[in-house]
């Protein structure tokens, strides 16, 4: 993306960009590797609430998923730009919609393209869909503490994110970190596992939607503390790194129905 207020840059061309459709194939092995990557059965290999994610006694699973991506928003932040991407996933054979992923990407050095004094800002999603609730000042309803493994990022990367920032000490050093860092989506996975375990009592079907905002990096081997506050059909959560006492992730999970345990 060109920046610096270039007269040649047209925001509308970014918004209307057509991504190629991408087909992915997932098997039981892919699902198991992902589950292990976010800590499933890490402390108990026969945990009956999590073993189902890494072992399927009924045999192989196979699914082909078609992903369709589009630009859902673009914002000029001066020295940077924020682009919103939506990815709709469908089961290839039936065409049944499976899920929608939304993400915001911060692009340094790509801002300054507004053609008026008012910064350019477009989003096709209502602002109330992207607003994050404040973390309550009250004591959390539930807290879950779990230590990641020193090799956590090396295991999680097998799910497809091979960015060397998470595996190569030299690349991590150039980026300003003392060692490779954990994938943000791996941290998110740990948080959602905590919510499924503590709030949903192991029933993953209660989860309707997941939102998260990354605040700080995590080093593999650090301890994650997930704090949870149920509010009606929503669970607000915050993840902290115990060793540094810093918040690294905040967000909320909407439930399809209220758990009988609340």
């Amino acid at each position: 993306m060109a920046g610096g207020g270039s007269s040649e840059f047209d925001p509308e061309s970014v918004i209307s960009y057509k991504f190629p459709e991408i087909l992915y194939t997932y098997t039981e092995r892919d699902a198991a590797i992902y589950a292990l990557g976010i800590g499933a059965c890490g402390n108990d290999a026969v945990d009956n609430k999590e073993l189902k994610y890494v072992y399927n006694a009924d045999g192989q699973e196979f699914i082909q998923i078609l992903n369709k991506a589009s630009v859902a928003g673009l914002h000029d932040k001066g020295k940077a730009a924020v682009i919103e991407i939506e990815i709709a996933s469908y089961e290839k054979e039936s065409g049944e919609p499976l899920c929608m992923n939304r993400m915001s990407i911060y692009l340094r050095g790509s801002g300054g393209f507004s053609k008026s004094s008012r910064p350019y800002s477009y989003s096709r999603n209502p602002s109330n869909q992207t607003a994050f609730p404040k973390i309550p000042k009250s004591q959390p309803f539930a807290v879950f503490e779990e230590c990641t493994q020193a090799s956590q990022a090396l295991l999680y990367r097998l799910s497809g994110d091979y960015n060397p920032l998470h595996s190569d000490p030299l690349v991590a050093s150039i980026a300003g970190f003392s060692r490779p860092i954990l994938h943000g989506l791996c941290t998110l996975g740990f948080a959602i596992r905590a919510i499924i375990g503590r709030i949903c009592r192991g029933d993953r079907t209660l989860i309707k939607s997941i939102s998260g905002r990354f605040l700080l990096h995590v080093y593999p081997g650090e301890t994650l503390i997930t704090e949870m506050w149920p509010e009606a059909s929503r669970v607000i959560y915050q993840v902290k790194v115990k060793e540094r006492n810093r918040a690294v992730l905040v967000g909320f999970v909407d439930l399809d129905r209220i758990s009988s345990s609340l």
Side-chain angles (χ1 to χ4, degrees):
M1 179 183 295
S6 171
S7 60
E8 298 179 357
F9 177 73
D10 179 16
E12 299 302 323
S13 66
V14 176
I15 294 171
S16 61
Y17 179 77
K18 300 297 183 182
F19 292 89
E21 296 182 358
I22 301 178
L23 180 66
Y24 291 94
T25 298
Y26 292 93
T27 67
E28 180 185 6
R29 180 177 185 275
D30 297 301
I33 288 175
Y34 171 75
L36 292 170
I38 61 170
C41 292
N43 297 317
D44 183 358
V46 294
D47 182 349
N48 61 6
K49 291 182 179 179
E50 295 198 327
L51 186 60
K52 57 191 174 186
Y53 301 129
V54 299
Y55 170 67
N56 185 354
D58 296 329
Q60 294 292 321
E61 299 171 351
F62 177 86
I63 187 172
Q64 287 188 311
I65 297 176
L66 187 64
N67 284 345
K68 301 179 181 180
S70 61
V71 176
L74 179 64
H75 311 277
D76 187 351
K77 299 297 182 180
K79 294 183 178 180
V82 173
I83 187 169
E84 301 172 19
I85 304 293
E86 286 187 351
I87 304 174
S89 299
Y90 303 84
E91 202 277 318
K92 181 179 182 296
E93 185 174 350
S94 66
E96 179 185 359
L98 299 176
C99 65
M100 168 72 76
N101 283 289
R102 294 191 178 107
M103 59 182 175
S104 296
I105 304 172
Y106 187 84
L107 303 172
R108 293 181 180 179
S110 298
F113 55 81
S114 300
K115 298 179 180 179
S116 66
S117 59
R118 185 176 182 179
Y120 181 92
S121 182
Y122 163 80
S123 179
R124 69 169 179 243
N125 296 314
S127 58
N128 62 357
Q129 286 189 8
T130 57
F132 272 72
K134 293 183 178 180
I135 298 300
K137 296 185 181 298
S138 59
Q139 289 295 314
F141 174 84
V143 178
F144 184 71
E145 180 176 316
E146 187 171 18
C147 186
T148 63
Q149 302 299 314
S151 59
Q152 201 74 56
L154 298 176
L155 178 56
Y156 183 85
R157 72 191 293 271
L158 299 180
S159 289
D161 187 344
Y162 295 104
N163 186 334
L165 178 63
H166 308 292
S167 56
D168 191 320
L170 178 59
V171 173
S173 176
I174 293 173
F177 300 104
S178 62
R179 60 186 187 275
I181 63 175
L182 195 61
H183 305 69
L185 290 178
C186 182
T187 303
L188 178 63
F190 270 80
I192 303 308
R193 278 186 49 247
I195 293 170
I196 292 174
R198 289 296 184 268
I199 302 296
C200 303
R201 295 296 186 263
D203 184 0
R204 66 185 186 278
T205 66
L206 291 178
I207 301 294
K208 180 180 180 180
S209 65
I210 299 167
S211 295
R213 178 174 293 166
F214 301 105
L215 306 177
L216 194 66
H217 62 278
V218 174
Y219 289 116
E222 290 187 314
T223 305
L224 300 178
I225 300 175
T226 303
E227 301 172 331
M228 298 157 258
W229 293 266
E231 294 186 356
S233 60
R234 171 168 289 183
V235 180
I236 299 173
Y237 69 88
Q238 175 175 254
V239 181
K240 295 179 179 177
V241 167
K242 182 177 183 179
E243 290 80 359
R244 288 179 283 143
N245 192 30
R246 298 285 300 276
V248 297
L249 172 65
V250 296
F252 60 89
V253 169
D254 286 329
L255 304 180
D256 187 54
R257 58 190 184 279
I258 303 298
S259 172
S260 60
S261 63
L262 298 181

